[in-house]
Amino acid sequence: MSFIVGVRNFLLKILYRIARPIIFLMDPEDAHYMFKKVGVFLGSNPITRSITSLLFNYEHKSLNTTVDGIEYRNPVGLSAGFDKDGELTSIYPSIGFGLAELGSFTGEVCPGNPGKRLFRMVKSKSILVWYGLNNQGAEKISSRLRGTNFGKLRVGINAAKSNITPEFDLQDSIDDYVKTMQLFKDIGDYYTINISCPNTQDGEPFVDKNNLDALLIAVNQNRVDGRPIYVKLAADLELDEINTIVDCCVAHKVDGVVLTNLAKPSHNQEFIKQELPYHKGAMSGLPLQRISTNVIRHVYRRTRGELTIIGVGGVFSAKDAYEKITSGASLLHMITTMIFDGPQNINEINRGLVKLLQEDGFKSIAEAVGSRNPLPKQKHEPASEEVKNVA
Ligand SMILES: Cc1cc2nc3c(=O)[nH]c(=O)nc-3n(C[C@H](O)[C@H](O)[C@H](O)COP(=O)(O)O)c2cc1C
């Protein structure tokens, strides 16, 4: 069966390779809009859903995983930013996703930044994003999604602060997140609190510990039973800043972190400099791959696995996905691989993960989490010499 799926994926990959130069002639934002329209159509009725499923889906029981009490059919998820208005949930299971993070949604309607705001960097395998949180706003989107049965898809609600003013006001900002949380209190399976959009007018004020403390207190007051809360971090933080944020998350009993958001070119050496198309925005894909994995490794060790990690950034293959899992990630998000490699790559990654698990003798994703990132000894743990002496 896996062989047949492999042949199917290979053929689809060739087809996408042929189509890609034509797709890449389109303006990137127009292409994004067109693919969303196609997705809405394919998800609109059982016939197109079944055909899509036949072409793109893949199931294997070793991919089933339970994280923070939520059962996922596989750990491969769509990252926030592709489905900014939550319009495509009916088609994701047929494409092979185990989860999809919708949004970012903001408390107020948000037009996003003006002008051209999406750019391809083909040689760097990256998208430069200058969207600025464009979405229809939490009220409209939640009223459309309320009562939707997402079936086997697990759904994350990504809440960000409205990008409509350059002035930062702490209480207004917290109210904005809380508004989205309350409107989505009976929609979806987990929340992500996005404190790391690189394209907002007032920067990233929740890197500050006092601001983050205040936000997480409010978030906790609006918790929904059985619904984990994750915080999404930026890619360009100093080590001290990462430590402050994750320690704060542990202190406030947040369930986990999403690592990481887009990479700012000014803080990044992992792309072809001549290819940078615009002086604003931040990069997805390959320039982020190594950095996000390093952050995952660090956070997993610092928190000793106490925080769930959703790994995101430059996952293009099962090997990339497995590296993030064995570094400490329990779930994965991705976007850029769909643009560069095609949608069949989602199930190809899942198929490859099954093989990699088997090669390492693991029966489940959970067994592989952090397996190549051994935790340091705790200070109060007796060293092995001491243990020997006692014996
Ligand atoms: C077009 C685009 C829009 C994005 N918008 C958001 C967003 O609204 N909220 C968010 O948390 N992340 C957003 N991101 C970041 C992604 O969720 C993800 O962290 C990043 O793209 C790295 O994953 P990738 O390399 O697989 O694309 C966006 C990324 C892209 C490419």
Side-chain angles (χ1 to χ4, degrees), residues 44-333:
S44 64
N45 69 81
I47 299 169
T48 47
R49 282 200 297 272
S50 304
I51 295 170
T52 310
S53 199
L54 213 61
L55 288 172
F56 293 102
N57 202 9
Y58 175 74
E59 304 269 357
H60 198 281
K61 69 174 181 335
S62 68
L63 295 170
N64 300 166
T65 187
T66 302
V67 180
D68 296 320
I70 314 282
E71 290 175 15
Y72 297 83
R73 72 178 179 123
N74 68 58
V76 174
L78 177 78
S79 203
F82 185 82
D83 194 358
K84 285 175 175 292
D85 296 316
E87 294 167 312
L88 296 157
T89 52
S90 319
I91 197 63
Y92 297 135
S94 309
I95 298 175
F97 282 118
L99 62 147
E101 190 163 298
L102 311 181
S104 295
F105 302 142
T106 56
E108 306 306 320
V109 178
C110 213
N113 292 325
K116 187 166 160 68
R117 41 195 196 173
L118 216 52
F119 307 83
R120 295 185 196 96
M121 297 166 65
V122 176
K123 288 186 193 137
S124 306
K125 266 194 131 176
S126 175
I127 302 289
L128 184 78
V129 184
W130 173 240
Y131 264 148
L133 296 175
N134 47 314
N135 75 107
Q136 295 166 346
E139 270 169 48
K140 183 167 180 184
I141 301 167
S142 61
S143 58
R144 177 159 34 79
L145 288 178
R146 191 158 296 118
T148 306
N149 177 1
F150 297 116
K152 53 189 173 180
L153 181 77
R154 296 294 161 259
V155 168
I157 301 300
N158 180 308
K161 185 175 67 66
S162 305
N163 175 30
I164 41 180
T165 157
E167 278 89 40
F168 172 66
D169 180 283
L170 180 61
Q171 196 50 51
D172 284 356
S173 304
I174 291 173
D175 292 347
D176 203 303
Y177 282 104
V178 166
K179 182 175 173 186
T180 300
M181 285 186 76
Q182 289 177 344
L183 284 165
F184 282 88
K185 70 179 187 323
D186 49 6
I187 307 167
D189 298 284
Y190 71 81
Y191 289 115
T192 292
I193 305 297
N194 178 11
I195 59 164
S196 52
C197 179
N199 296 328
T200 51
Q201 300 175 56
D202 63 356
E204 292 164 36
F206 290 101
V207 172
D208 176 272
K209 183 179 178 319
N210 293 331
N211 292 346
L212 185 59
D213 271 328
L215 173 63
L216 294 182
I217 289 169
V219 163
N220 273 332
Q221 285 164 350
N222 288 279
R223 260 185 189 269
V224 178
D225 261 1
R227 187 97 71 88
I229 291 178
Y230 305 127
V231 170
K232 186 163 180 178
L233 273 68
D236 330 280
L237 298 168
E238 300 292 334
L239 197 60
D240 282 357
E241 293 173 322
I242 297 175
N243 291 343
T244 304
I245 295 172
V246 295
D247 292 353
C248 201
C249 288
V250 172
H252 287 276
K253 298 197 165 31
V254 162
D255 300 272
V257 281
V258 183
L259 305 172
T260 65
N261 214 318
L262 302 161
K264 296 184 195 88
S266 55
H267 293 59
N268 193 287
Q269 305 297 323
E270 314 256 331
F271 67 101
I272 296 161
K273 298 275 175 313
Q274 298 78 343
E275 216 189 0
L276 192 66
Y278 194 51
H279 61 290
K280 288 177 176 170
M283 300 175 298
S284 72
L286 200 54
L288 192 59
Q289 187 186 75
R290 197 173 59 90
I291 291 153
S292 67
T293 305
N294 285 346
V295 177
I296 291 168
R297 293 185 74 79
H298 171 73
V299 171
Y300 182 72
R301 287 164 75 87
R302 184 171 180 90
T303 61
R304 306 190 66 79
E306 202 180 321
L307 288 181
T308 293
I309 296 174
I310 303 183
V312 50
V315 175
F316 292 98
S317 67
K319 203 167 139 278
D320 302 337
Y322 198 58
E323 192 183 15
K324 283 191 164 46
I325 290 170
T326 54
S327 296
S330 299
L331 297 168
L332 302 164
H333 285 162

